[in-house]
Amino acid sequence: MLYLTLRQIEYVVAVARAGSLAQAAQNLHVSQPALSVALSVVEKRLGQKLFNRRKGSPITLTAFARTYITEAEALLIQAQRLEDPASLSRIVNGTLTLGCFEDLAPLYLAPVLKALRQDLPDVVLRWRIYDFENLARHMREGQIDLAITYDLGLDANFDKTRLKAVSPHAFMAAEAALARQPTLSFADLATEQLILFEEGLSVRHMLNLFRQGGHNPKVAHRVHSLEVMRSLAANGEGIGIAYTLPPGDFSYDGNRIITRKISDQTAIEPVILARSNHLPELAAANSAHHIICRVFTEKNQAEGLDP
């Protein structure tokens, strides 16, 4: 329980600054007797004298008061900030939770976290990796402040900033007939046995891209992991399709894998930075938004890509 009020502490600080009860009372627009009573209450509660008061002499601080006044001033400053929403929004500290779509996390999560830790040292960073559905739900509930994802399944309740544009790629065994072509189209892949992701939005999106061109694709396997997709493809179990392109020409089991870009313009998909637009904007999230955009801009420029 707090026994001293902020007003009483404010009176103590005012007297210390003014050097006299009369001047402090004038500055505060209160009566001198009211100020004197407040000082007595504070000193009684603390069990310490704060001021040496002698008739005809200026008020001086005791040794105890010098430390107390410093702490009291800091408390009053913090109290003023707590009363000012605009001031609070400018404080870049607190906690930030970053979400990332599961297939994008191996490529982008660590570099983004590194940049955020360098530029926002006073912010406690947390991160979560989810599928599309869970990312959207956690953003709506305020459990994720920002998310790096694809623009799938997010309605008008989310603000979206485009970070880069990516095309899907097909993964196949070295001996596959289509491996001889430099690029592929959905028409080329329409009669092949496909390996697609199990995740609902992802597989529906991919099947729709085929159907927009009048194709009826054949799905041989549905997987949860990109590396399982690459392994199946490298072993001739079908052709995998994914937007994420990891480096390397071998699957985890040591088989060579061929990667070909799918050239259909309708398949180009933006990677975005998303946030719920129904929650209060926090200074940490606003600052992080600018930093993440800068990281992607620099990466795009280094790779010679347009966002």
Side-chain angles (χ1 to χ4, degrees):
M1 183 181 294
L2 297 176
Y3 294 94
L4 297 178
T5 67
L6 286 173
R7 180 66 68 192
Q8 290 167 334
I9 294 172
E10 183 183 22
Y11 286 178
V12 170
V13 170
V15 172
R17 290 173 176 168
S20 75
L21 284 174
Q23 186 61 53
Q26 183 177 340
N27 294 342
L28 292 169
H29 305 291
V30 299
S31 68
Q32 189 169 328
L35 200 55
S36 182
V37 170
L39 295 185
S40 298
V41 170
V42 173
E43 289 179 330
K44 183 177 180 181
R45 179 62 197 170
L46 296 175
Q48 295 275 355
K49 284 192 67 175
L50 293 173
F51 301 101
N52 296 311
R53 288 180 270 178
R54 298 184 182 88
K55 193 170 183 179
S57 301
I59 287 180
T60 59
L61 277 65
T62 64
F64 171 80
R66 293 190 184 94
T67 301
Y68 183 81
I69 295 300
T70 299
E71 295 296 325
E73 287 177 327
L75 174 63
L76 292 174
I77 291 171
Q78 181 64 19
Q80 289 172 347
R81 290 164 69 185
L82 291 175
E83 287 185 335
D84 181 7
S87 175
L88 283 174
S89 68
R90 294 190 295 268
I91 302 171
V92 186
N93 59 21
T95 300
L96 176 80
T97 302
L98 176 67
C100 196
F101 178 60
E102 51 198 358
D103 285 356
L104 293 172
L107 284 174
Y108 302 120
L109 180 61
V112 165
L113 287 176
K114 182 179 180 181
L116 291 174
R117 292 191 199 284
Q118 287 176 343
D119 289 5
L120 300 175
D122 296 325
V123 174
V124 177
L125 293 176
R126 298 172 181 166
W127 52 270
R128 302 287 185 268
I129 298 173
Y130 290 119
D131 57 19
F132 292 121
E133 182 180 344
N134 281 301
L135 269 182
R137 178 169 62 83
H138 285 286
M139 279 191 285
R140 287 192 199 97
E141 294 173 354
Q143 298 178 42
I144 289 178
D145 301 301
L146 296 167
I148 300 170
T149 182
Y150 293 112
D151 191 6
L152 294 177
L154 298 179
D155 55 25
N157 293 312
F158 298 90
D159 291 331
K160 310 166 193 178
T161 301
R162 184 185 178 106
L163 298 174
K164 69 181 301 181
V166 292
S167 295
H169 286 75
F171 305 104
M172 65 202 76
E175 60 272 16
L178 291 178
R180 293 191 290 270
Q181 297 183 206
T183 61
L184 298 172
S185 66
F186 286 120
D188 297 325
L189 297 166
T191 59
E192 300 292 329
Q193 297 292 308
L194 302 179
I195 309 166
L196 302 180
F197 286 114
E198 180 70 31
E199 205 275 333
L201 276 174
S202 178
V203 70
R204 288 197 297 272
H205 174 68
M206 194 57 65
L207 292 176
N208 285 336
L209 288 174
F210 275 96
R211 288 165 183 159
Q212 286 171 15
H215 310 299
N216 188 24
K218 304 172 184 177
V219 182
H221 301 283
R222 296 190 182 194
V223 299
H224 288 284
S225 163
L226 177 61
E227 287 308 323
V228 172
M229 174 188 285
R230 281 163 46 88
S231 178
L232 288 170
N235 283 276
E237 285 290 319
I239 295 181
I241 302 177
Y243 279 93
T244 304
L245 180 61
D249 298 324
F250 293 88
S251 62
Y252 274 12
D253 57 13
N255 284 291
R256 187 159 182 257
I257 187 166
I258 302 299
T259 304
R260 293 290 181 262
K261 180 180 177 180
I262 298 175
S263 58
D264 298 63
Q265 292 296 302
T266 57
I268 296 175
E269 189 68 28
V271 176
I272 63 170
L273 186 59
R275 67 194 299 175
S276 171
N277 55 28
H278 285 266
L279 297 173
E281 289 192 5
L282 301 177
N286 290 337
S287 297
H289 186 282
H290 294 300
I291 294 165
I292 295 170
C293 290
R294 187 196 70 216
V295 169
F296 274 84
T297 297
E298 292 173 352
K299 184 174 178 61
N300 291 338
Q301 290 173 345
E303 295 174 356
L305 300 175
D306 292 326

